[in-house]
Amino acid sequence: MHPKGAGGVQFLCTGVEGPGKMGQIQGADMAAHQIKLTDSLDVVWEELVYTEARLLADARASDLATAITQLIHRVQALKATQQTSWQAEIRAQAAVDAADDGLDDVVRGFADNLLFAVGNDRTQARFKRYFGDNPSAIIKLGLEAELGKVRGWPASIGGEPEAPVQAFGAQLQAAIAAGDAALSQRTTAAGARADERTRGINTFIDDVNAARQSLYGTLTTRVGPNKLPRDWPERFFKHAVKAPKPPPAAPKPATT
């Protein structure tokens, strides 16, 4: 049984034989180049739209356009889903950045209040217990690394003698919870995007490649009976634009 395209049109993957053909055309693997799994959906969409337009413009092949049209509808739906996934990931990253800024503000405020409590003496054991020499070394870390540094602080801060310093224990605990939630949101969003690529987009690209190769095979069966040019099937697939050849170098002036 020969494979069918997305619209139910039966595509053939055989060569063309018989009088009138201009040389032998071997089969579907000859001209319809493979779309790579790493290609964007925009690339896939452009390839499909081009092929559909070429089919519709040729009365000898227009009946084959329906299958390609249905693939265009699928890629458009996938693009909408992909944008939703990207939006979720962007929002997740924004939440991480907001949580990171919030944690930085709490750590900075705690450092300032603690430093005031110890008389601006950075060598005091109470100050060094949290910051060593420089609070900015912790504040400049990314969210995940900074959380690792401060996660155990809230209980200790609650035991500090000054009420203004103690108050940062609860603030820091809330900032830590917000940071953990933001990181979890980002991980979930990234995983959903990866799943979409593997299970949805890659499967679709496989379907597109199979349909294109099958379409090419069907087109080759029409070359001989219609006395068409040998490259006629290849004309329905978008070709890479070749860069113009550079002009020849100017001859060097003769030396005397």
Side-chain angles (χ1 to χ4, degrees), residues 16-256:
V16 175
E17 296 181 358
K21 67 184 179 68
M22 300 172 63
Q24 186 176 6
I25 300 177
Q26 296 298 324
D29 59 351
M30 186 175 172
H33 67 273
Q34 292 283 304
I35 296 173
K36 299 187 291 295
L37 293 179
T38 54
D39 281 338
S40 70
L41 288 178
D42 285 336
V43 169
V44 181
W45 173 83
E46 186 175 343
E47 294 278 355
L48 291 171
V49 169
Y50 180 90
T51 295
E52 179 196 45
R54 289 300 302 258
L55 290 169
L56 291 173
D58 193 321
R60 296 159 299 190
S62 59
D63 61 305
L64 304 177
T66 301
I68 303 301
T69 302
Q70 292 189 2
L71 289 173
I72 292 172
H73 294 331
R74 284 179 63 188
V75 74
Q76 288 170 334
L78 279 172
K79 285 176 69 175
T81 301
Q82 186 182 61
Q83 282 202 322
T84 299
S85 175
W86 287 346
Q87 179 176 288
E89 200 164 13
I90 292 168
R91 286 176 170 170
Q93 183 58 51
V96 167
D97 293 342
D100 190 23
D101 289 339
L103 180 60
D104 290 346
D105 292 343
V106 173
V107 170
R108 186 179 293 107
F110 170 58
D112 290 344
N113 278 265
L114 181 60
L115 191 58
F116 178 79
V118 298
N120 290 320
D121 185 357
R122 293 175 181 266
T123 65
Q124 279 274 352
R126 287 176 60 196
F127 187 82
K128 292 179 69 69
R129 181 262 181 264
Y130 301 102
F131 295 107
D133 295 326
N134 192 352
S136 64
I138 293 175
I139 292 171
K140 71 181 181 181
L141 294 172
L143 178 60
E144 192 166 4
E146 189 173 356
L147 285 171
K149 291 285 188 181
V150 306
R151 193 174 297 280
W153 288 7
S156 296
I157 294 173
E160 294 291 344
E162 298 85 6
V165 176
Q166 287 181 11
F168 281 94
Q171 294 180 39
L172 184 58
Q173 190 63 60
I176 290 171
D180 286 339
L183 289 174
S184 177
Q185 180 184 351
R186 185 174 67 179
T187 299
T188 299
R193 176 181 51 78
D195 288 343
E196 179 193 13
R197 184 81 208 184
T198 301
R199 299 171 187 170
I201 296 175
N202 288 358
T203 298
F204 172 70
I205 291 176
D206 286 340
D207 291 346
V208 169
N209 281 327
R212 281 158 55 85
Q213 298 300 336
S214 194
L215 170 62
Y216 181 82
T218 300
L219 292 168
T220 62
T221 66
R222 301 184 181 188
V223 172
N226 293 285
K227 295 182 171 57
L228 297 168
R230 183 183 179 187
D231 70 341
W232 182 76
E234 300 177 12
R235 299 175 184 179
F236 296 87
F237 302 95
K238 190 171 181 291
H239 299 286
V241 178
K242 295 181 179 179
K245 294 182 179 180
K252 295 180 179 181
T255 58
T256 57

